[in-house]
Amino acid sequence: MEARVISCTTFGDDKVVKIAVPNHQAITKYKAGENETTIVVSDDTCLEKDVQEIKKFCEKLGYVYEGRLNEEYNQTNTGPGLV
């Protein structure tokens, strides 16, 4: 499975995209666009091992990890607006 975009906000040339990923391989396949801030949430079917890997890849790629998709998580105020 691949990453799926669950929301997108633009403000001028800046874009904030929130993606849901089922595993850490999906995050490596996603290609962020120019002037894009990428926020990642893991799918609720992710194993804890995959969640830890997703967090590592987010840090490495400069993405923001927010939490699991179907659980309560702290939404960040990143980029031009809330996504």
Side-chain angles (χ1 to χ4, degrees), residues 4-71:
R4 67 183 193 279
V5 174
I6 55 176
S7 66
C8 180
T9 303
T10 57
F11 183 76
D13 290 338
D14 297 327
K15 184 191 299 186
V16 178
V17 177
K18 184 180 285 187
I19 61 172
V21 294
N23 53 44
H24 68 277
Q25 290 94 351
I27 199 170
T28 61
K29 294 178 184 176
Y30 180 78
K31 302 296 181 215
E34 194 172 318
N35 298 324
E36 179 180 308
T37 301
T38 306
I39 299 173
V40 178
V41 292
S42 54
D43 202 315
D44 60 336
T45 59
C46 280
L47 300 173
E48 188 59 35
K49 179 183 173 193
D50 268 330
V51 171
Q52 295 306 316
E53 290 296 316
I54 289 168
K55 288 178 183 179
K56 287 180 191 175
F57 276 97
C58 283
E59 190 174 307
K60 184 178 180 181
L61 297 169
Y63 299 165
V64 177
Y65 180 77
E66 279 193 344
R68 287 187 178 266
L69 181 61
N70 292 328
E71 291 180 3

